[in-house]
Amino acid sequence: MTIFATHPIVTSLAPEFILVLGGVLVLLLGLARRQWLSLVTFAVIALALITACRLRQYGAESVPQLTNDSLLWYARLVGLSVGLLILLVNRHVPEEGERGEFFSLLLFSLAGVLLVAAANNLILLFLALELVSVPTYIMIGLSRRDIRAQEATGKYFFLGAFAAAMMLYGFSFLYGAAGTTVLFGSGESLHTTLKQGGALGDTFVIIGLVLTLGGLAFKVAAVPFHSYVADVYQGAASPVTGMLGFVPKFAGFIAIIRVLSLCDWSYATDATAHNGALFWVLWVLAAATMLVGNTLALWQQNVKRMLAYSSIAHSGYMLVALVAGPGSGPSPLRNGATAVLFYIAVYGVMNLGAFASLAYLRKTGEDGEDSAETLDDIAGAARRYPWAGLALAICVLGLMGFPLTGGFLGKIYVFSAALSASAGTAGHQAMIILVVFGVLNSAIAAAYYMRILASCYLRKPAEGVTASRCPALRLSIACCAIIVLATFFRPGLLFDRSSEASVDVQARTSMQENNQSSASTATTFAGLPPQ
Amino acid sequence: MDVFEQALGFYLFAAVALFSAIGIVVTKNIVRAAVLLLGTLGGVACLYFVLSANFLAAIQLIVYAGGTLILIVFGVMLTSKSPFVVFTPSRVQIGIAVVIAVVLATSLCTLLLQVDWSATATDQPIVQSPQVKVVGESLLQQYLVPFEVASVLLLVVMIGAAYLARPEN
């Protein structure tokens, strides 16, 4: 470590460096078609996780244009831990000759997630978000051979390019309004400029923020950019779909938190023009996303499509917490940022577990062996494979928000944060309406989750369904189910970290113009004095 | 660069740009027109180089010759069934094009003739501008991390392109 420890950029971005270098290594090793590539990939992610823990312990020198806060630590911890699970689920997916490409793309995508949290610059934020998305487009295509996977790849890629263009357009407005690409900092930054406001500035800022949120809504699969979700989730192989439910969403929500922290976020504390506009935009997005996701999920026969629409609905719940904002109360239960960070981690695991259970049940169709997809395929699965059925049931109950699972606590945190937000202002009424709407939506959602459970437990076992023999897949399903239960019985393990991460968000939004030392931002990356 | 070299370069690249432009209008094959467009845009970029406007030349190459041209080629490839599409404009289209071309040419010529060029002309050779150096330094200092992330992103895109181009089974 001593040779690396000399350079501040390398030290502060050590986990990301490990992931990228590991990705290149796996790509090269893939040429030799080794069997133990997944093991190397596992070691790379584990090493990055250990490095992240050590960095947290000893602290890193802060580098301009890179953040160094608790949210970054949270992104590393959760992103890499769930990344390990994603790898276990996906171990059997790539074909023999494509293992190197597939696993290296997974590593690059995870590196992208971490860089989104580390970015303190619009340019880096955009590049990191694309580094998250572009590998996922290719992984969908690599995961399956049939025509629907190709369609999903094409659809996801073209719509993703459209969303990226829109986000970039928004970024250019923000840059135009502030004259700098630096997000936060005591010197010249978007955060300090946006706080000052101004008539012309406000218009540009609102246009910029709305376009940016639109692009990010695509990443988290929120209305109005949700239309791709069902086809893409259905087209990709189930393990990759499990990944799609977490990786782009996690990166998207971290980016949304960063972008929203630029202005004062909550409507109540500071009712400037762009906060008011933003509040209502997010409010409508959250309500529409919950409604569209849940009602469309009701009509599906295909479990993958059903879970795809439920994924939209879950983005809606998380948006409710974002509308609430980081709050000002001392209780962590009143903090929307904590709630959304907790929820996304639990949702990622529940969703991954559900798709992993689907991948565990193999059916032999006309074009070879494939994972179970429809309600008929999983009929009676619990009788033949009781453990897999139980894991599926736990994950689905978690998605439903049933007590004794982490999903229940996630919903409690989201709705309690929303209820206590903007108390005593006009926004409070709107928040109560939104919470009532969200609870009603959770009730609608129970209907289609119950159909999955009923099919799994009550029906006669389907013919021609076998179980996967991949040991890593079994291990990951067990891990997912245990984590979903553990987050209910020991929520502090995760909750403490998410409230720690949101402290910085909260501190930043309530930060006043306090220090004038711009010396740290003036030093360049290479550690040279400014010219 | 002395005046003679500059003049030589100007006429050479201006000729390339001009004849490519004529070629675009004359040819009926879309792919040929796209390649000739590269000649025009590249010629203009070289003119900027001759005039020591290095930054402008680089941007011209990246944005027009790189981005726009590739977009056009992709557009042709994705929308036409064969790469040898024959482009046959209708009479109305030709009419509109002629009107626009005449208006544009007249206004540009009037503008050129109105300016008193002797006031801006100097005998001094143009000094090499430091813009390129500044851009390069900020890429490797202030924007080092985005620069490196961009290269990782390009690696990923390359893997994707190789995957798309692989033979079927």
Side-chain angles (χ1 to χ4, degrees):
Chain A
M1 287 302 282
T2 47
I3 49 164
F4 293 119
T6 53
H7 205 296
I9 295 181
V10 181
T11 355
S12 52
L13 285 182
E16 292 79 5
F17 265 89
I18 290 170
L19 287 177
V20 169
L21 291 178
V24 175
L25 179 76
V26 168
L27 190 60
L28 291 175
L29 284 177
L31 295 174
R33 306 195 176 178
R34 305 275 186 199
Q35 278 301 314
W36 32 265
L37 266 183
S38 50
L39 211 62
V40 177
T41 316
F42 192 90
V44 169
I45 303 179
L47 184 65
L49 188 56
I50 293 166
T51 319
C53 293
R54 285 182 64 89
L55 264 183
R56 177 68 178 173
Q57 203 175 346
Y58 296 114
E61 202 178 325
S62 76
V63 181
Q65 312 234 3
L66 291 177
T67 58
N68 185 18
D69 56 7
S70 309
L71 184 57
L72 173 60
W73 154 241
Y74 186 77
R76 282 175 173 161
L77 179 73
V78 172
L80 292 172
S81 311
V82 182
L84 283 176
L85 280 178
I86 291 172
L87 174 67
L88 288 177
V89 175
N90 277 285
R91 198 196 78 114
H92 68 283
V93 171
E95 289 190 9
E96 182 61 30
E98 288 164 352
R99 297 169 69 86
E101 286 85 347
F102 190 88
F103 291 133
S104 67
L105 288 171
L106 175 60
L107 289 175
F108 288 137
S109 194
L110 287 176
V113 174
L114 269 49
L115 282 167
V116 168
N120 192 16
N121 185 314
L122 283 180
I123 301 170
L124 184 57
L125 185 61
F126 173 73
L127 286 169
L129 280 167
E130 287 313 290
L131 191 57
V132 174
S133 293
V134 175
T136 56
Y137 307 149
I138 309 165
M139 285 169 81
I140 294 169
L142 284 175
S143 69
R144 263 166 101 184
R145 289 281 150 168
D146 71 345
I147 188 99
R148 268 183 314 181
Q150 309 308 316
E151 186 203 335
T153 311
K155 204 172 258 184
Y156 199 30
F157 170 68
F158 283 115
L159 290 174
F162 168 71
M166 189 161 62
M167 183 172 64
L168 202 54
Y169 195 37
F171 280 0
S172 69
F173 272 105
L174 291 180
Y175 174 59
T180 173
T181 57
V182 178
L183 293 175
F184 304 100
S186 44
E188 194 181 54
S189 70
L190 275 163
H191 180 234
T192 49
T193 319
L194 260 54
K195 277 186 88 72
Q196 287 156 8
L200 184 66
D202 269 345
T203 320
F204 279 129
V205 168
I206 291 170
I207 295 173
L209 286 173
V210 169
L211 284 171
T212 306
L213 282 179
L216 291 170
F218 175 86
K219 309 265 181 220
V220 303
V223 171
F225 301 102
H226 63 285
S227 51
Y228 70 96
V229 175
D231 289 342
V232 171
Y233 278 34
Q234 191 188 2
S238 297
V240 176
T241 314
M243 175 190 168
L244 288 182
F246 176 73
V247 172
K249 258 185 216 256
F250 190 46
F253 274 110
I254 291 174
I256 292 180
I257 288 175
R258 289 276 192 235
V259 169
L260 288 179
S261 321
L262 287 176
C263 42
D264 246 344
W265 203 331
S266 74
Y267 187 44
T269 51
D270 183 14
T272 58
H274 54 249
N275 285 331
L278 216 55
F279 177 85
W280 290 110
V281 167
L282 280 173
W283 195 95
V284 172
L285 274 189
T289 306
M290 288 190 293
L291 184 68
V292 167
N294 282 321
T295 43
L296 289 180
L298 279 177
W299 310 104
Q300 306 303 321
Q301 287 300 319
N302 185 310
V303 182
K304 274 168 91 176
R305 284 184 86 87
M306 201 182 269
L307 289 176
Y309 283 114
S310 103
S311 162
I312 299 173
H314 281 278
S315 288
Y317 302 136
M318 286 183 258
L319 283 173
V320 172
L322 284 181
V323 184
S328 47
S331 161
L333 277 176
R334 294 184 180 174
N335 193 324
T338 310
V340 72
L341 288 171
F342 181 85
Y343 201 103
I344 181 74
V346 176
Y347 170 73
V349 175
M350 295 186 299
N351 188 53
L352 186 67
F355 278 108
S357 310
L358 287 184
Y360 179 74
L361 301 169
R362 316 293 298 179
K363 64 152 190 217
T364 322
E366 51 217 43
D367 34 44
E369 201 185 63
D370 206 351
S371 70
E373 273 196 19
T374 60
L375 283 173
D376 295 333
D377 292 339
I378 62 162
R383 296 192 193 176
R384 201 175 283 170
Y385 307 107
W387 290 107
L390 183 65
L392 181 65
I394 290 172
C395 291
V396 169
L397 284 173
L399 289 170
M400 195 196 290
F402 201 75
L404 305 181
T405 63
F408 173 70
L409 285 184
K411 283 212 172 69
I412 292 278
Y413 293 150
V414 164
F415 290 138
S416 74
L419 275 181
S420 57
S422 7
T425 63
H428 190 54
Q429 289 290 329
M431 288 313 298
I432 290 174
I433 295 171
L434 194 61
V435 170
V436 170
F437 193 67
V439 172
L440 285 178
N441 263 289
S442 306
I444 298 176
Y448 60 85
Y449 290 129
M450 286 316 279
R451 284 175 68 200
I452 300 180
L453 292 181
S455 174
C456 187
Y457 271 89
L458 301 180
R459 285 172 60 179
K460 246 185 6 198
E463 294 296 316
V465 174
T466 53
S468 163
R469 283 185 301 279
C470 178
L473 185 60
R474 293 180 194 196
L475 177 66
S476 61
I477 294 173
C479 287
C480 288
I482 290 168
I483 292 172
V484 172
L485 293 176
T487 41
F488 179 80
F489 291 104
R490 285 257 182 280
L493 291 175
L494 182 63
F495 191 76
D496 289 349
R497 272 153 200 85
S498 46
S499 36
E500 194 185 23
S502 64
V503 165
D504 283 340
V505 177
Q506 197 176 347
R508 192 164 274 151
T509 46
S510 58
M511 189 173 73
Q512 299 301 315
E513 300 276 329
N514 45 11
N515 53 44
Q516 283 84 34
S517 67
S518 58
S520 61
T521 46
T523 38
T524 55
F525 261 142
L528 298 170
Q531 291 169 345
Chain B
M1 216 187 281
D2 69 16
V3 180
F4 175 70
E5 280 174 16
Q6 215 167 17
L8 190 71
F10 175 81
Y11 285 116
L12 182 69
F13 295 123
V16 169
L18 185 63
F19 286 112
S20 313
I22 294 172
I24 296 169
V25 180
V26 172
T27 186
K28 296 208 160 169
N29 182 319
I30 288 186
V31 178
R32 261 188 212 151
V35 174
L36 284 168
L37 189 60
L38 178 66
T40 313
L41 298 171
V44 174
C46 289
L47 283 182
Y48 288 141
F49 272 123
V50 169
L51 296 171
S52 294
N54 294 337
F55 182 70
L56 202 56
I59 293 296
Q60 164 89 6
L61 276 179
I62 293 169
V63 174
Y64 285 98
T68 314
L69 193 66
I70 286 173
L71 214 63
I72 290 173
V73 173
F74 263 111
V76 172
M77 277 165 58
L78 288 174
T79 52
S80 67
K81 293 195 181 87
S82 120
F84 307 106
V85 188
V86 175
F87 182 62
T88 42
S90 66
R91 278 169 190 277
V92 181
Q93 282 173 323
I94 294 176
I96 295 170
V98 166
V99 170
I100 292 175
V102 167
V103 169
L104 192 66
T106 339
S107 46
L108 278 176
C109 287
T110 352
L111 207 66
L112 280 175
L113 291 174
Q114 273 178 354
V115 178
D116 179 17
W117 293 103
S118 62
T120 53
T122 58
D123 292 338
Q124 303 296 320
I126 298 160
V127 190
Q128 195 70 31
S129 63
Q131 291 157 331
V132 177
K133 190 167 173 253
V134 174
V135 171
E137 275 176 356
S138 66
L139 269 186
L140 288 179
Q141 288 180 10
Q142 200 183 357
Y143 296 105
L144 180 63
V145 177
F147 185 67
E148 293 300 326
V149 173
S151 69
V152 178
L153 188 59
L154 287 177
L155 174 68
V156 171
V157 171
M158 221 157 67
I159 298 172
Y163 150 73
L164 279 179
R166 77 188 162 166
E168 284 292 315
N169 294 320

